[in-house]
Amino acid sequence: MIDHNNLEEYRDPMNYDLEFGGETNKHDFYLEMAKSNPGKVLDLACGTGMTTIHLARAGIDITGVDIATSMLAYARVKAEGLPVEFIEADARTFESDHRYAMIYLTGNAFQAFLSDEDQKALLHTVHELLEPGGLFVFETRNPEGCDLSDEGEEVWGTFVDIEGVTVKVSGTQTYDAATQVMHWFTIRDWGYKQTNSRIACRFTDNATLHNLLTSQNFTIEHQYADWDKTPFTPLAASIVSVCRKN
Protein backbone atom coordinates (compact mmCIF):
# COMPACT_ATOMS: atom_id res chain seq x y z
CA MET A 1 0.00 0.00 0.00
CA ILE A 2 1.34 3.44 -0.97
CA ASP A 3 1.85 6.00 1.79
CA HIS A 4 0.74 9.11 -0.10
CA ASN A 5 2.18 11.34 2.63
CA ASN A 6 5.56 10.10 1.43
CA LEU A 7 4.93 11.63 -2.00
CA GLU A 8 4.35 15.16 -0.70
CA GLU A 9 8.01 16.11 -1.17
CA TYR A 10 7.68 15.45 -4.90
CA ARG A 11 4.83 17.80 -5.83
CA ASP A 12 7.14 20.53 -7.20
CA PRO A 13 9.78 18.79 -9.34
CA MET A 14 11.45 21.87 -10.82
CA ASN A 15 12.19 23.36 -7.41
CA TYR A 16 13.06 19.89 -6.10
CA ASP A 17 15.93 19.81 -8.60
CA LEU A 18 17.11 23.26 -7.51
CA GLU A 19 17.04 22.26 -3.84
CA PHE A 20 18.64 18.83 -4.15
CA GLY A 21 20.47 18.76 -7.48
CA GLY A 22 24.03 19.59 -6.46
CA GLU A 23 25.47 16.10 -5.90
CA THR A 24 27.38 15.71 -9.18
CA ASN A 25 29.91 13.34 -7.62
CA LYS A 26 27.01 10.97 -6.95
CA HIS A 27 26.13 10.93 -10.65
CA ASP A 28 29.75 10.19 -11.56
CA PHE A 29 29.89 7.35 -9.03
CA TYR A 30 26.91 5.57 -10.59
CA LEU A 31 28.26 6.21 -14.07
CA GLU A 32 31.55 4.56 -13.06
CA MET A 33 29.63 1.60 -11.62
CA ALA A 34 27.64 1.23 -14.85
CA LYS A 35 30.76 1.35 -17.02
CA SER A 36 32.38 -1.33 -14.85
CA ASN A 37 29.46 -3.68 -15.52
CA PRO A 38 28.39 -3.06 -19.16
CA GLY A 39 24.81 -3.66 -20.24
CA LYS A 40 21.31 -2.34 -19.59
CA VAL A 41 20.85 -0.26 -16.42
CA LEU A 42 17.72 0.33 -14.35
CA ASP A 43 17.35 3.38 -12.08
CA LEU A 44 14.65 2.51 -9.52
CA ALA A 45 12.92 5.43 -7.78
CA CYS A 46 14.57 7.72 -10.34
CA GLY A 47 12.66 10.90 -9.44
CA THR A 48 13.28 13.67 -11.97
CA GLY A 49 16.00 11.59 -13.58
CA MET A 50 18.99 13.63 -12.41
CA THR A 51 21.27 10.58 -12.34
CA THR A 52 19.40 8.72 -15.09
CA ILE A 53 19.97 11.52 -17.57
CA HIS A 54 23.64 11.88 -16.60
CA LEU A 55 24.17 8.21 -17.45
CA ALA A 56 22.11 8.42 -20.66
CA ARG A 57 24.20 11.35 -21.88
CA ALA A 58 27.29 9.19 -21.36
CA GLY A 59 25.86 6.50 -23.65
CA ILE A 60 24.51 4.12 -21.01
CA ASP A 61 21.42 2.12 -22.04
CA ILE A 62 19.19 3.10 -19.13
CA THR A 63 15.56 3.07 -17.98
CA GLY A 64 14.13 5.05 -15.06
CA VAL A 65 11.20 3.91 -12.90
CA ASP A 66 9.34 6.00 -10.31
CA ILE A 67 5.95 6.09 -8.61
CA ALA A 68 5.58 9.91 -8.63
CA THR A 69 3.78 11.12 -11.76
CA SER A 70 4.93 14.74 -11.42
CA MET A 71 8.61 13.80 -11.09
CA LEU A 72 8.49 11.57 -14.18
CA ALA A 73 6.75 14.25 -16.23
CA TYR A 74 9.63 16.64 -15.55
CA ALA A 75 12.20 13.88 -16.14
CA ARG A 76 10.75 13.32 -19.62
CA VAL A 77 10.96 17.04 -20.42
CA LYS A 78 14.61 17.18 -19.32
CA ALA A 79 15.48 14.01 -21.25
CA GLU A 80 13.98 15.11 -24.57
CA GLY A 81 16.14 13.80 -27.41
CA LEU A 82 17.95 11.26 -25.26
CA PRO A 83 17.48 7.48 -25.70
CA VAL A 84 16.06 6.94 -22.21
CA GLU A 85 12.67 5.56 -21.15
CA PHE A 86 10.80 6.58 -17.99
CA ILE A 87 8.13 4.25 -16.59
CA GLU A 88 5.62 5.00 -13.84
CA ALA A 89 5.53 2.01 -11.49
CA ASP A 90 5.98 0.86 -7.90
CA ALA A 91 9.48 -0.56 -7.37
CA ARG A 92 8.03 -3.25 -5.09
CA THR A 93 5.94 -4.76 -7.88
CA PHE A 94 7.59 -3.57 -11.11
CA GLU A 95 7.96 -6.26 -13.78
CA SER A 96 9.79 -6.19 -17.10
CA ASP A 97 10.76 -8.51 -19.93
CA HIS A 98 14.25 -6.97 -19.80
CA ARG A 99 17.09 -8.15 -17.60
CA TYR A 100 19.60 -5.60 -16.40
CA ALA A 101 23.35 -5.69 -15.85
CA MET A 102 22.99 -3.11 -13.07
CA ILE A 103 20.13 -1.77 -10.95
CA TYR A 104 20.58 1.14 -8.56
CA LEU A 105 18.66 3.38 -6.17
CA THR A 106 19.97 6.77 -5.19
CA GLY A 107 18.78 9.83 -3.27
CA ASN A 108 18.52 7.54 -0.22
CA ALA A 109 15.46 6.05 -1.94
CA PHE A 110 16.04 2.74 -0.17
CA GLN A 111 14.83 4.46 3.01
CA ALA A 112 11.38 5.03 1.50
CA PHE A 113 10.66 1.31 1.96
CA LEU A 114 9.42 1.52 5.51
CA SER A 115 8.73 -2.07 6.56
CA ASP A 116 10.48 -5.43 6.37
CA GLU A 117 7.87 -6.48 3.81
CA ASP A 118 8.53 -3.40 1.66
CA GLN A 119 12.29 -3.93 1.74
CA LYS A 120 11.97 -7.61 0.82
CA ALA A 121 9.54 -6.81 -2.00
CA LEU A 122 11.98 -4.25 -3.38
CA LEU A 123 14.90 -6.68 -3.22
CA HIS A 124 12.79 -9.41 -4.83
CA THR A 125 12.12 -7.05 -7.74
CA VAL A 126 15.80 -6.22 -8.04
CA HIS A 127 16.85 -9.88 -7.91
CA GLU A 128 14.27 -10.91 -10.51
CA LEU A 129 15.27 -8.17 -12.95
CA LEU A 130 19.05 -8.52 -12.70
CA GLU A 131 21.04 -10.66 -15.09
CA PRO A 132 22.91 -13.58 -13.46
CA GLY A 133 25.75 -11.99 -11.50
CA GLY A 134 24.26 -8.52 -12.01
CA LEU A 135 25.17 -5.51 -9.87
CA PHE A 136 22.89 -3.84 -7.31
CA VAL A 137 24.10 -0.51 -5.93
CA PHE A 138 22.36 1.81 -3.47
CA GLU A 139 22.98 4.14 -0.58
CA THR A 140 21.21 4.75 2.70
CA ARG A 141 21.84 6.97 5.70
CA ASN A 142 23.61 5.14 8.52
CA PRO A 143 21.68 5.38 11.81
CA GLU A 144 24.92 5.02 13.78
CA GLY A 145 26.31 8.12 12.07
CA CYS A 146 23.21 10.32 12.15
CA ASP A 147 21.47 12.37 14.85
CA LEU A 148 18.13 10.63 15.34
CA SER A 149 16.97 12.72 18.29
CA ASP A 150 13.59 14.44 18.16
CA GLU A 151 13.94 18.11 17.20
CA GLY A 152 11.60 21.09 17.16
CA GLU A 153 11.64 23.43 14.21
CA GLU A 154 15.16 24.29 13.08
CA VAL A 155 16.46 26.10 9.99
CA TRP A 156 17.94 23.55 7.57
CA GLY A 157 19.12 25.83 4.78
CA THR A 158 18.05 27.81 1.74
CA PHE A 159 17.80 27.42 -2.03
CA VAL A 160 17.00 29.73 -4.94
CA ASP A 161 13.80 28.75 -6.74
CA ILE A 162 12.95 28.84 -10.46
CA GLU A 163 11.98 32.52 -10.20
CA GLY A 164 15.14 33.55 -8.38
CA VAL A 165 13.53 33.77 -4.94
CA THR A 166 15.56 32.61 -1.96
CA VAL A 167 13.52 30.03 -0.05
CA LYS A 168 14.19 29.32 3.62
CA VAL A 169 13.87 25.63 4.51
CA SER A 170 13.17 24.56 8.09
CA GLY A 171 11.48 21.65 9.78
CA THR A 172 11.09 19.16 12.58
CA GLN A 173 12.08 15.54 13.02
CA THR A 174 10.55 12.79 15.14
CA TYR A 175 12.09 9.32 15.34
CA ASP A 176 10.20 6.11 16.13
CA ALA A 177 12.86 3.71 17.44
CA ALA A 178 10.49 0.73 17.37
CA THR A 179 10.04 0.97 13.60
CA GLN A 180 13.38 2.70 12.82
CA VAL A 181 11.37 5.37 10.98
CA MET A 182 12.16 9.07 11.00
CA HIS A 183 9.28 11.48 10.34
CA TRP A 184 10.33 14.83 8.88
CA PHE A 185 7.99 17.81 8.56
CA THR A 186 9.45 20.37 6.17
CA ILE A 187 8.48 24.05 5.96
CA ARG A 188 9.52 26.12 2.94
CA ASP A 189 9.11 29.86 3.34
CA TRP A 190 9.14 32.12 0.26
CA GLY A 191 8.34 35.23 2.29
CA TYR A 192 5.06 35.67 0.44
CA LYS A 193 3.92 32.05 0.84
CA GLN A 194 4.72 28.91 2.79
CA THR A 195 4.43 25.22 1.92
CA ASN A 196 4.57 22.15 4.16
CA SER A 197 5.37 18.53 3.41
CA ARG A 198 5.83 15.29 5.30
CA ILE A 199 8.14 12.39 4.57
CA ALA A 200 9.09 9.23 6.45
CA CYS A 201 12.39 7.37 6.03
CA ARG A 202 13.56 4.13 7.59
CA PHE A 203 17.05 3.96 9.09
CA THR A 204 18.34 0.40 8.71
CA ASP A 205 21.53 -0.37 10.62
CA ASN A 206 24.37 -2.05 8.76
CA ALA A 207 24.15 -5.39 10.55
CA THR A 208 20.46 -5.66 9.65
CA LEU A 209 21.28 -4.55 6.11
CA HIS A 210 23.87 -7.35 5.76
CA ASN A 211 21.39 -9.95 7.01
CA LEU A 212 18.65 -8.65 4.73
CA LEU A 213 20.80 -8.65 1.60
CA THR A 214 22.22 -12.09 2.35
CA SER A 215 18.73 -13.52 2.95
CA GLN A 216 17.61 -12.13 -0.42
CA ASN A 217 20.52 -13.77 -2.26
CA PHE A 218 22.91 -10.86 -2.67
CA THR A 219 26.61 -10.69 -1.82
CA ILE A 220 27.99 -7.35 -0.61
CA GLU A 221 31.22 -6.72 -2.50
CA HIS A 222 32.03 -3.23 -1.23
CA GLN A 223 30.69 -0.65 1.19
CA TYR A 224 31.73 2.99 1.11
CA ALA A 225 31.10 6.04 3.28
CA ASP A 226 30.64 8.40 0.33
CA TRP A 227 30.77 8.81 -3.45
CA ASP A 228 34.57 9.14 -3.36
CA LYS A 229 34.79 5.49 -2.22
CA THR A 230 36.04 6.34 1.25
CA PRO A 231 35.99 3.00 3.12
CA PHE A 232 32.92 2.59 5.30
CA THR A 233 33.36 2.96 9.04
CA PRO A 234 30.69 2.32 11.71
CA LEU A 235 30.07 6.03 12.36
CA ALA A 236 29.96 7.14 8.71
CA ALA A 237 26.89 9.18 7.81
CA SER A 238 26.11 7.02 4.77
CA ILE A 239 26.36 3.41 3.69
CA VAL A 240 26.98 2.99 -0.04
CA SER A 241 26.59 -0.72 -0.83
CA VAL A 242 27.80 -2.46 -3.99
CA CYS A 243 26.18 -5.90 -4.19
CA ARG A 244 26.17 -8.84 -6.60
CA LYS A 245 23.22 -11.11 -7.39
CA ASN A 246 23.97 -14.67 -6.31
Side-chain angles (χ1 to χ4, degrees), residues 33 36-37 101 133-138 210 213-214 218-224 232 240-246:
M33 290 291 107
S36 73
N37 211 68
L135 206 60
F136 174 45
V137 190
F138 68 102
H210 272 258
L213 289 162
T214 299
F218 291 95
T219 297
I220 299 175
E221 294 191 339
H222 302 287
Q223 284 191 316
Y224 305 113
F232 175 75
V240 183
S241 298
V242 180
C243 312
R244 189 77 61 178
K245 173 180 174 176
N246 292 338

Side-chain angles (χ1 to χ4, degrees), residues 45-240:
C46 67
T48 64
M50 285 187 276
T51 306
T52 330
I53 291 168
H54 183 75
L55 269 62
R57 285 177 175 151
I60 302 298
D61 183 357
I62 189 165
T63 298
V65 169
D66 201 275
I67 201 168
T69 304
S70 58
M71 300 287 270
L72 287 179
Y74 189 42
R76 293 185 181 109
V77 170
K78 295 194 300 178
E80 186 175 357
L82 287 172
V84 55
E85 181 182 17
F86 290 103
I87 300 170
E88 184 175 338
D90 186 330
R92 295 168 295 186
T93 56
F94 176 60
E95 297 179 350
S96 174
D97 293 333
H98 295 298
R99 292 298 175 264
Y100 298 89
M102 182 177 109
I103 297 175
Y104 72 91
L105 289 87
T106 190
N108 293 308
F110 182 80
Q111 293 184 249
F113 299 87
L114 301 180
S115 68
D116 293 348
E117 293 74 22
D118 287 342
Q119 290 181 342
K120 288 175 182 176
L122 167 69
L123 293 178
H124 176 77
T125 295
V126 172
H127 200 275
E128 286 291 303
L129 295 180
L130 278 174
E131 295 175 350
L135 206 60
F136 174 45
V137 190
F138 68 102
E139 89 278 349
T140 181
R141 298 177 188 90
N142 177 24
E144 303 301 325
C146 295
D147 180 4
L148 302 181
S149 57
D150 292 354
E151 294 178 356
E153 185 178 348
E154 293 187 350
V155 175
W156 291 343
T158 62
F159 72 95
V160 178
D161 79 349
I162 56 175
E163 296 177 345
V165 176
T166 298
V167 182
K168 184 176 78 172
V169 183
S170 61
T172 67
Q173 68 176 41
T174 307
Y175 185 63
D176 183 340
T179 60
Q180 301 177 301
V181 173
M182 177 69 79
H183 298 270
W184 280 298
F185 182 76
T186 304
I187 303 157
R188 294 179 175 89
D189 187 352
W190 273 258
Y192 63 91
K193 70 172 182 177
Q194 189 178 94
T195 63
N196 302 324
S197 63
R198 295 163 290 179
I199 192 167
C201 289
R202 189 176 188 186
F203 281 73
T204 304
D205 63 87
N206 201 30
T208 301
L209 202 57
H210 272 258
N211 290 336
L212 175 66
L213 289 162
T214 299
S215 72
Q216 299 302 305
N217 296 308
F218 291 95
T219 297
I220 299 175
E221 294 191 339
H222 302 287
Q223 284 191 316
Y224 305 113
D226 55 35
W227 311 120
D228 297 324
K229 296 186 176 181
T230 303
F232 175 75
T233 58
L235 295 181
S238 292
I239 310 170
V240 183

